[in-house]
Amino acid sequence: MTTSSLSYVTCCKTSSLTREGGHGWRRLCGLKINGPSTAMMRGRITMSAAPMAGVNGKAVVERTIIPTKKQFVDPFRQGVIILDGVGYRQTVVVRSYEVGTDKTVTPQSILNLLQETALNHVWMSGLLGDGFGATHGMMKNNLIWVVSRMQVQLDQYPIWGEILDIDTWVGASGKNGMRRDWEIRSHTTGIVFARATSTWVMMNKTTRRLSKMPDEVRAEISPWFIKKQAIKEDSPEKIEKLDDNARYVNSGLQPKRSDLDMNCHVNNVKYVGWMLEVIPDECLENYQLSDIILEYRRECGSSDVVESLCEPENVGIIKDGVQDDQDVNLMHRCSIGAGFIQGAGLLNCLINEGTIRYTHLLQVKEEPKCHEIVRGKTTWKKRLNLHSFSC
């Protein structure tokens, strides 16, 4: 079996990855790749790095090397192109800092993995400019991507050390939007752990206003569009706006510098953290998130002071206007005579018996009115395995 290895070599001029046979090596501005590297050759990688000014008498090169043509294999990110050349699959291992006290992946880590695979998909397409997932055409028109809606369904939580395959692909959403979907599976068994879908629109980076999709951008990304859907939504659920009378409120939330992404606004994963922090401990200890829907209304900047509101709903999921009989019986069991348990008593009853749903709102309070950031809906189901560590 032939192997490959990496070592450092001096490189003072622009170099590129070249195709060589046998046991030759390819020089990539400081990296010497020993061995045939067949996976790279199959991937038809074309990359370049521009030299920069010297530091302390030594030449320095650009560290980020963005592909200029479509790749089919990315050995460094364990990624491959799938779905007849338009989808992307990345294999990852669940790391220790991605799990909670019960050794399962946290919802925030799931969202981070979705974001990372989406960006790597654009990376391998050869369309990536130097922006946060922006194409060359978007960079010319000073445009960035912003997410307008996202839904994640979690059937089962991966555990620490588990190997995952994450598939992602894109499709059209109306005239000026793009849909991106994901599917997370066990690399070993093929069991689907989670599905997700999202809608993205373009914003002018300077004016911060939404923009139509320019023709040159449409020409770049439309060849990648397919009709496959991870979550089918015939009529997306509407999320009602909460008012200041919400049962659970957490105020004075301020973004940290580490919460900002490359587009200089608070990353959407941080929003989910603010939403989940206000969930009662009784729910978090006994239940796990099974579904989350997010509707993004405006971006959040570094100087904003955020308020997180949360209101519990009746137990169970209402479909087609009819509530499941089991849920009705559950509500009956949580009643006492003609009266109804209120507050913590009701919450404790629901925790012991059924499914819990919450409506969420993140807003910035500025006189004379509040500005919505995100509306959300979360569904929580009873934990099947409680093997938390002692804290």
Side-chain angles (χ1 to χ4, degrees), residues 2-120:
T2 305
T3 59
S4 301
S5 61
L6 298 177
S7 60
Y8 182 83
V9 296
T10 303
C11 178
C12 300
K13 63 180 181 179
T14 301
S15 299
S16 60
L17 190 62
T18 59
R19 183 167 182 155
E20 297 181 26
H23 294 273
W25 58 269
R26 286 148 297 282
R27 188 170 61 178
L28 185 59
C29 291
L31 290 180
K32 177 179 179 181
I33 307 176
N34 302 298
S37 188
T38 354
M40 287 186 177
M41 291 190 291
R42 283 201 308 267
R44 304 172 188 173
I45 301 174
T46 303
M47 299 184 288
S48 62
M52 299 173 60
V55 177
N56 296 327
K58 297 181 179 179
V60 178
V61 296
E62 184 71 44
R63 292 185 298 173
T64 302
I65 307 169
I66 301 176
T68 58
K69 293 184 179 180
K70 179 180 178 181
Q71 298 182 55
F72 290 86
V73 178
D74 187 345
F76 298 109
R77 293 173 181 81
Q78 296 295 306
V80 294
I81 291 295
I82 59 172
L83 297 175
D84 295 326
V86 295
Y88 175 70
R89 174 176 297 159
Q90 184 165 339
T91 302
V92 302
V93 179
V94 178
R95 297 173 173 85
S96 59
Y97 54 81
E98 294 172 329
V99 302
T101 57
D102 60 355
K103 296 195 297 184
T104 65
V105 174
T106 64
Q108 293 95 317
S109 294
I110 292 287
L111 289 171
N112 277 323
L113 288 172
L114 299 183
Q115 177 176 276
E116 182 66 13
T117 51
L119 290 172
N120 288 341

Side-chain angles (χ1 to χ4, degrees), residues 3-277:
T3 59
S4 301
S5 61
L6 298 177
S7 60
Y8 182 83
V9 296
T10 303
C11 178
C12 300
K13 63 180 181 179
T14 301
S15 299
S16 60
L17 190 62
T18 59
R19 183 167 182 155
E20 297 181 26
H23 294 273
W25 58 269
R26 286 148 297 282
R27 188 170 61 178
L28 185 59
C29 291
L31 290 180
K32 177 179 179 181
I33 307 176
N34 302 298
S37 188
T38 354
M40 287 186 177
M41 291 190 291
R42 283 201 308 267
R44 304 172 188 173
I45 301 174
T46 303
M47 299 184 288
S48 62
M52 299 173 60
V55 177
N56 296 327
K58 297 181 179 179
V60 178
V61 296
E62 184 71 44
R63 292 185 298 173
T64 302
I65 307 169
I66 301 176
T68 58
K69 293 184 179 180
K70 179 180 178 181
Q71 298 182 55
F72 290 86
V73 178
D74 187 345
F76 298 109
R77 293 173 181 81
Q78 296 295 306
V80 294
I81 291 295
I82 59 172
L83 297 175
D84 295 326
V86 295
Y88 175 70
R89 174 176 297 159
Q90 184 165 339
T91 302
V92 302
V93 179
V94 178
R95 297 173 173 85
S96 59
Y97 54 81
E98 294 172 329
V99 302
T101 57
D102 60 355
K103 296 195 297 184
T104 65
V105 174
T106 64
Q108 293 95 317
S109 294
I110 292 287
L111 289 171
N112 277 323
L113 288 172
L114 299 183
Q115 177 176 276
E116 182 66 13
T117 51
L119 290 172
N120 288 341
H121 185 198
V122 184
W123 180 285
M124 290 191 68
S125 71
L127 300 177
L128 184 65
D130 61 355
F132 199 44
T135 67
H136 299 292
M138 291 175 65
M139 298 298 295
K140 291 178 183 178
N141 289 273
N142 200 31
L143 298 175
I144 59 175
W145 285 115
V146 290
V147 59
S148 61
R149 194 175 190 275
M150 176 173 283
Q151 180 177 8
V152 182
Q153 294 178 347
L154 297 159
D155 299 329
Q156 186 175 337
Y157 279 72
I159 63 174
W160 174 37
E162 194 151 22
I163 304 173
L164 308 177
D165 285 334
I166 306 177
D167 292 359
T168 185
W169 60 91
V170 293
S173 177
K175 294 182 179 180
N176 295 296
M178 182 182 74
R179 175 187 177 117
R180 177 174 285 279
D181 288 26
W182 296 265
E183 189 175 83
I184 301 179
R185 298 186 315 278
S186 166
H187 179 77
T188 305
T189 67
I191 294 175
V192 176
F193 291 144
R195 299 175 179 86
T197 186
S198 60
T199 305
W200 298 76
V201 292
M202 295 183 187
M203 172 187 287
N204 186 284
K205 190 175 182 179
T206 303
T207 65
R208 315 308 280 188
R209 293 181 179 276
L210 297 183
S211 170
K212 293 183 178 181
M213 185 182 295
D215 290 339
E216 64 177 314
V217 176
R218 192 184 310 277
E220 286 178 317
I221 64 177
S222 59
W224 294 82
F225 287 174
I226 57 176
K227 295 183 178 181
K228 178 181 173 70
Q229 295 184 359
I231 300 175
K232 293 185 178 181
E233 296 178 296
D234 296 328
S235 55
E237 180 179 0
K238 183 179 179 181
I239 303 177
E240 300 294 335
K241 181 182 178 181
L242 296 180
D243 56 31
D244 291 337
N245 296 320
R247 183 170 301 178
Y248 305 107
V249 180
N250 192 1
S251 302
L253 302 170
Q254 291 186 281
K256 300 177 182 178
R257 185 179 294 272
S258 59
D259 297 328
L260 303 181
D261 60 25
M262 287 186 278
N263 287 332
C264 297
H265 59 213
V266 176
N267 190 277
N268 68 86
V269 179
K270 184 63 180 181
Y271 298 154
V272 174
W274 282 336
M275 290 168 56
L276 300 187
E277 280 294 326

